[in-house]
Amino acid sequence: QKEVEQNSGPLSVPEGAIASLNCTYSDRGSQSFFWYRQYSGKSPELIMFIYSNGDKEDGRFTAQLNKASQYVSLLIRDSQPSDSATYLCAVTPSNAGGTSYGKLTFGQGTILTVHP
Amino acid sequence: ETGVTQTPRHLVMGMTNKKSLKCEQHLGHNAMYWYKQSAKKPLELMFVYNFKEQTENNSVPSRFSPECPNSSHLFLHLHTLQPEDSALYLCASSQVGKSGYTFGSGTRLTVV
């Protein structure tokens, strides 16, 4: 079983729609959850992080976390063609104390395409 | 210069060559990381440095040798690489105790 699992897609949505990206993780003790966006040929950039169960909103982005189900999602409202990218889910492990705190495990990413 | 800077951006090397990748962060962070990104695979953690001490080596072959002379600089020395080592190599930094990475722009490595 993969530690962090994402549907590789591609996920295609029309402009203005809501894009829903999903991620599951195997380590029940994981504490911190991140969404990165990576444009083709570029490096990943952090767009959202969430630590507590529930929703966290930032502009058009909402991260949702359900630790009981080991599930984290990213919703993008009013999707734009500029949102077309690969979205990476990342998780810190439960043994995150001590000197390796901060280590992230990534999923393989979901390719999102927003078409006009 | 701001953020995390990686050089070179592109590198083509033969299997018998020796080369080095350089990473420099200007964020005052004290943790630095090397990741490998291959096509259709998740980012793979290679090495972790906290306060310039190596705290993790994720079973990386010895043909990859990291060096961290201070909290701002990180190198990856390469020798006798294989074609399957061709990938995007990403450097990242963060504060120890915090998990929000800042990535560099990466080095696209091709081994011929």
Side-chain angles (χ1 to χ4, degrees):
Chain A
Q1 181 186 8
K2 296 178 184 176
E3 293 182 64
V4 180
E5 195 149 1
Q6 296 179 255
N7 186 331
S8 61
L11 173 66
S12 182
V13 300
E15 185 174 357
I18 296 175
S20 178
L21 303 159
N22 305 314
C23 173
T24 58
Y25 58 94
S26 60
D27 183 348
R28 182 168 291 278
S30 296
Q31 300 180 26
S32 307
F33 307 86
F34 300 81
W35 284 100
Y36 283 81
R37 177 176 62 201
Q38 186 173 25
Y39 292 113
S40 181
K42 302 293 186 182
S43 59
E45 56 177 326
L46 179 66
I47 53 173
M48 289 284 289
F49 61 89
I50 187 167
Y51 301 140
S52 304
N53 273 333
D55 295 359
K56 179 180 178 182
E57 187 175 317
D58 183 0
R60 295 187 295 113
F61 298 95
T62 299
Q64 300 175 316
L65 174 61
N66 184 326
K67 288 188 176 181
S69 301
Q70 294 175 237
Y71 175 91
V72 58
S73 65
L74 180 70
L75 302 178
I76 306 175
R77 289 182 300 282
D78 188 23
S79 296
Q80 302 297 310
S82 58
D83 294 325
S84 298
T86 298
Y87 288 81
L88 305 173
C89 174
V91 174
T92 54
S94 56
N95 61 342
T99 55
S100 285
Y101 190 92
K103 183 179 79 168
L104 289 179
T105 300
F106 286 84
Q108 69 177 74
T110 298
I111 299 170
L112 172 66
T113 302
V114 181
H115 53 86
Chain B
E1 290 267 18
T2 58
V4 181
T5 305
Q6 284 189 248
T7 55
R9 293 293 304 274
H10 301 273
L11 178 62
V12 179
M13 59 186 289
M15 289 190 284
T16 59
N17 291 159
K18 290 184 180 181
K19 296 287 184 183
S20 295
L21 310 184
K22 179 182 176 182
C23 176
E24 182 175 3
Q25 59 93 2
H26 309 271
L27 300 167
H29 289 167
N30 43 35
M32 297 187 78
Y33 313 83
W34 280 116
Y35 276 84
K36 175 184 178 183
Q37 188 173 37
S38 304
K40 301 188 188 306
K41 292 178 68 175
L43 279 160
E44 300 172 57
L45 179 65
M46 300 176 72
F47 301 104
V48 179
Y49 279 83
N50 289 322
F51 299 104
K52 74 177 184 177
E53 297 297 322
Q54 187 181 127
T55 57
E56 185 136 351
N57 175 337
N58 205 22
S59 302
V60 180
S62 60
R63 56 186 184 270
F64 295 92
S65 174
E67 178 189 2
C68 188
N70 55 59
S71 294
S72 299
H73 294 85
L74 185 64
F75 296 89
L76 188 62
H77 304 300
L78 316 171
H79 64 97
T80 59
L81 295 191
Q82 305 299 309
E84 60 266 28
D85 296 323
S86 298
L88 179 67
Y89 289 84
L90 289 162
C91 173
S93 70
S94 73
Q95 283 292 98
V96 171
K98 298 184 184 299
S99 299
Y101 287 4
T102 300
F103 281 94
S105 53
T107 295
R108 175 68 62 184
L109 173 67
T110 303
V111 181
V112 297

